[in-house]
Every structure is written in C-alpha cells, then in structure tokens.
Amino acid sequence: MKAVAVKKATVKKTADRKIGAKKIAVKSAPAKKAAARKSTLARGSKRMSAAEVLEMFTRLRELNPHPTTELEYSSPFELLVAVTLSAQATDVGVNKATRKLFPVANTAQAILALGEEGLKPYIATIGLFNAKAKNVIAACAILVEKYGGEVPAERAALEALPGVGRKTANVVLNTAFGQPTMAVDTHIFRVSNRTGLAPGKDVRVVEDGLVKVIPEEFLQDAHHWLILHGRYVCKARKPDCPQCVIRDLCHFNDKTADAA
C-alpha cells in the first residue's frame, strides 16, 4: 500500500510541476513581449526640450511647407471612405481602389445604392475588404439618414459611424475640416518614441503628449509631417539617420551610421 501511495504522490508532483511549467510559459510570453516593447521605447525615451521641439518642427516646415495626406480625395466623404479603407493597408493600395470606385460612386447615396456586394469588387484588392465593405455601407446609411449624406465635423458623430475609430476621426477632422487633431498611427507612434518628442506606451498617451508639447503654430500640419517622416526617413527596420533633417535633435540611441 505504501508503494502505491508513494507512486501516486510522485505522479501528482510530476503533474503539478508540468502544470506549473505551462502556467509559467503562458505568463512569460506576454511578459517577454512587454519587456521587449519597454526596451524599444526606452532607447528613445529621453524627452526633447521645448527648444528642440520648436527647432524640429521649424525644420520640417522648411522642408515641406504644405504637407498633406497621400490618400487621394476630393471631398470630406471621399476622405472618410479612403481612411476607413486604409486600416491595415497602404495608401498606394487604397488609391488604386478608389481611383476605380470614386468615378462610379463618390457620395454616401451612390455607395449605398451599390450595396455591400456591389462595393466589394472595387475594394477587393484591399485587406479585410469584406468587413470594410460592410462598415462603409453601414456608415453611408447613417450619413444619409442623419446628415443628409454629408460628413459631420464633430468627433462624437464621426466615431459613432461603423468602422470609424478615434484615429480615423482625427484624420478627417484635421485634413477635411482643418482642426488641429493628432491621428497617431504606427509611424507617428514610432517617431514620437524614438526621438523623445512624446514618449508613451500606447497611442492615446502619445496623442495627448504630442498635443501638449507641439507649439500651436505647428499643430495643424504636425500630423502629416510626422507620418511622412516616419514613412520615408525614420523607418521601422532601418531608419535613414544620415539623411534625417532632425538627427542632431533626436534622442534615439541606435542611430544608423553614415555609409562608408
């Protein structure tokens, strides 16, 4: 009997160790991911001074006095649709689709008339096009019913539309209606943390930080300057530090070296 009891106890301890190991492994994966993210942010987390921020945007403005989105549009509605389609897609890909769509239907009423199945062929080359078609049609129905087909210039109304989150609303408010909002995408998030402009662990913290530190005279265009800088210079895998106009102001510790 003792032998049986000892054997059962041994089996139980072994099982408990395996279960414990599994729990530790499950916990360690998110922990490792969070640690890696924290390490990445820390490399550029020293904040820019007010003087450095002023100089940064002065240079960006001199380089590109009138920045704008690379999405093609001719009305607030076209911009709203284009930005909605751009989630997890490139501006180039969205433009290719809207060049075919907008000549056929570029109002809420016209796209609603196409219907979900009629819209899909125009945007089928864009990722998640099924879900996006559903959201665009649902948004068009609300725009027609509540706003006479026009795009509202209020955040709450925009964010109530299917497929429209805070970032999309910020882009529309800024680009279509001239409001000094800050739409933080992956490029702006990266630039803000790397340079020390507005470090933060999530997009809302970065957004609030940017609005706080960027001088008012630059706020209207800052969103575009930062996106373009992140897209073409401060790139994710290999930032082009040698060609960066704000290299001497940036607090990123891992700057790429000049070519030999």
Side-chain angles (χ1 to χ4, degrees):
M1 293 293 291
K2 284 185 177 181
V4 173
V6 171
K7 186 175 181 179
K8 286 183 177 180
T10 302
V11 171
K12 185 176 185 304
K13 287 181 180 179
T14 302
D16 288 344
R17 282 197 295 268
K18 288 182 178 179
I19 292 172
K22 287 182 179 180
K23 287 182 178 179
I24 291 172
V26 170
K27 290 180 180 178
S28 65
K32 287 180 180 178
K33 186 175 182 180
R37 182 176 179 83
K38 184 177 180 181
S39 175
T40 299
L41 298 183
R43 289 181 297 174
S45 60
K46 183 180 178 182
R47 290 183 179 274
M48 283 184 166
S49 67
E52 287 172 329
V53 174
L54 176 62
E55 180 62 20
M56 172 182 179
F57 284 97
T58 298
R59 294 182 190 179
L60 291 176
R61 181 171 61 186
E62 289 175 352
L63 190 67
N64 185 1
H66 305 292
T68 188
T69 179
E70 293 187 320
L71 290 171
E72 297 172 0
Y73 73 99
S74 61
S75 69
F77 176 76
E78 287 189 359
L79 179 63
L80 175 63
V81 172
V83 179
T84 301
L85 295 177
S86 71
Q88 298 183 48
T90 65
D91 288 359
V92 172
V94 172
N95 288 338
K96 286 181 180 179
T98 56
R99 285 171 194 160
K100 296 178 181 178
L101 172 64
F102 289 157
V104 175
N106 68 341
T107 65
Q109 293 89 341
I111 289 184
L112 189 59
L114 281 179
E116 190 174 329
E117 294 306 314
L119 174 59
K120 285 181 182 180
Y122 291 99
I123 64 172
T125 55
I126 300 174
L128 306 175
F129 73 92
N130 285 312
K132 291 175 181 178
K134 182 177 181 180
N135 284 334
V136 169
I137 292 298
C140 286
I142 294 173
L143 291 177
V144 170
E145 180 182 351
K146 290 189 174 182
Y147 305 103
E150 299 299 316
V151 176
E154 294 79 35
R155 176 184 300 283
L158 286 170
E159 291 187 17
L161 298 173
V164 178
R166 184 176 182 85
K167 184 177 74 173
T168 297
N170 278 338
V171 173
V172 174
L173 291 172
N174 176 278
T175 306
F177 298 114
Q179 298 183 26
T181 55
M182 189 65 58
V184 179
D185 69 349
T186 182
H187 298 300
I188 293 181
F189 184 83
R190 180 173 63 256
V191 171
S192 298
N193 277 290
R194 273 185 178 170
T195 62
L197 174 61
K201 294 183 179 180
D202 62 65
V203 293
R204 186 57 193 273
V205 171
V206 170
E207 178 187 335
D208 292 342
L210 289 170
V211 172
K212 182 178 180 180
V213 302
I214 297 174
E216 186 175 355
E217 65 176 297
F218 299 109
L219 269 177
Q220 177 60 42
D221 292 323
H223 159 77
H224 299 298
W225 282 318
L226 292 175
I227 284 181
L228 294 172
H229 190 69
R231 183 174 290 164
Y232 297 111
V233 181
C234 194
K235 295 172 283 191
R237 294 187 178 181
K238 188 178 180 182
D240 191 6
C241 300
Q243 302 302 317
C244 178
V245 71
I246 61 166
R247 179 176 182 173
D248 59 313
L249 306 173
C250 172
H251 292 284
F252 187 48
N253 295 327
D254 298 338
K255 293 185 178 73
T256 52
D258 291 289

